[in-house]
Amino acid sequence: MKVAVVGATGLVGTKMLQVLAERNFPVDELVPVASERSVGKEVDFKGKKYKVVSMQDGIDAKPAVALFSAGGSTSLEWAPKYAAAGITVIDNSSAWRMDPTKPLVVPEVNADVLTVNDKIIANPNCSTIQMVVALQPLHKKYGVKRVVVSTYQSVTGTGKKAVDQLFNEREGRQGEMAYKYAIDLNALPQIDVFLDNGYTKEEMKMVNETKKIMQDDSIKVTATTVRIPVMGGHSESVNVEFGKDYDLNEVRELLCTSPSIIVQDDPSQQVYPMPLWAHEKDEVFVGRLRRDETQPNTLNMWIVSDNLRKGAATNAVQIAEYLVGKNMLG
Ligand code: 2RA
């Protein structure tokens, strides 16, 4: 199968290439696509070098599927053009996520919404993906009513410029600023721009995307998203109120037996999820499971996942794998 990766030279695009190779996705030919300034650069894929091509050349190459991670404006302009050429687009930007005609998919939660007619499929926001993977098995059993989430997000979520800022600050070098303030030794309670309601775009993504993916507009979500000087993944403190009471051991068992979840939860051994352990893994790690003793039917948990992998590249590749498995691709 001919596969295009649009934004192939960025942090997520590079991770998409790595995950496609690691998971042996059936790529016969790779079409790395990027902006004009990157055309002609070379990328490595499974030991072979490929030259980066332009957006239009990406269409002309007629790939079966195009994994996009090239920003919202590029997706808004080019995803329809790729789709019109019969290419299935799996887009990691926020451009199409809340479009009612486009599926927003985490395979472990709602892959069944996909049809062969879907030619633009939205990959959710990384902080949303890891949360709904953990919430879904509990929602099916107990019914999620309300979620209060605080995130502690890796600088890799911003991109290479932010990673460079962190290490320049850490090593005492001057350099470009990805953020308004220093990120080393700091915590920034702002991810993306502020909206009129006082929340940031990142916080409202978690609110709105969760309802769409879990197909339940009654789920109340309130979020505070924070950037911290960490590399390996996003961490989330989640307080979830269910519609009925639960048994903590049953919760643990449900999570342990659900796809893509690994429970790391043994306070006696100081075992709990951390970005240090989640880095370069595809699973969602859950721990610090405990009853909220201040409110009935309510659970606290801590969720960590590699935001470049399950939070972006791996989720997109898993959507493509699902389509291949259902003969909806290629
Ligand atoms: C971030 N979730 O972490 C956003 C986009 N990747 O910056």
Side-chain angles (χ1 to χ4, degrees), residues 162-236:
V163 174
D164 290 346
Q165 179 186 333
L166 171 57
F167 287 97
N168 285 337
E169 289 170 354
R170 203 163 275 182
E171 290 152 20
R173 288 189 302 269
Q174 290 301 313
E176 266 198 286
M177 296 285 279
Y179 306 114
K180 180 175 173 61
Y181 304 105
I183 185 61
D184 195 26
L185 308 175
N186 200 9
L188 300 178
Q190 177 190 354
I191 296 178
D192 210 325
V193 297
F194 281 103
L195 301 170
D196 294 343
N197 66 356
Y199 286 80
T200 61
K201 265 191 174 179
E202 183 79 358
E203 288 159 353
M204 293 315 294
K205 284 176 185 176
M206 294 194 79
V207 173
N208 297 321
E209 292 177 20
T210 298
K211 296 170 191 273
K212 182 170 178 180
I213 297 161
M214 295 178 72
Q215 302 174 80
D216 188 337
D217 283 344
S218 73
I219 296 175
K220 296 175 185 171
V221 180
T222 189
T224 301
T225 58
V226 180
R227 188 76 67 193
I228 60 169
V230 152
M231 286 294 289
H234 291 348
S235 304
E236 298 176 347

Side-chain angles (χ1 to χ4, degrees), residues 103-177:
L104 178 65
V105 176
V106 177
E108 296 86 343
V109 179
N110 67 332
D112 56 355
V113 303
L114 289 168
T115 73
V116 69
N117 301 315
D118 290 312
K119 299 309 282 182
I120 297 177
I121 301 164
N123 207 39
N125 192 36
C126 39
S127 47
T128 308
I129 290 174
Q130 64 188 72
M131 186 172 78
V132 297
V133 167
L135 286 178
Q136 182 63 9
L138 306 179
H139 182 52
K140 283 164 72 174
K141 180 79 178 172
Y142 306 112
V144 170
K145 283 180 67 181
R146 181 173 183 261
V147 179
V148 181
V149 53
S150 296
T151 74
Y152 308 78
Q153 299 184 217
S154 164
V155 290
T156 58
T158 305
K160 188 177 179 312
K161 190 174 167 186
V163 174
D164 290 346
Q165 179 186 333
L166 171 57
F167 287 97
N168 285 337
E169 289 170 354
R170 203 163 275 182
E171 290 152 20
R173 288 189 302 269
Q174 290 301 313
E176 266 198 286
M177 296 285 279

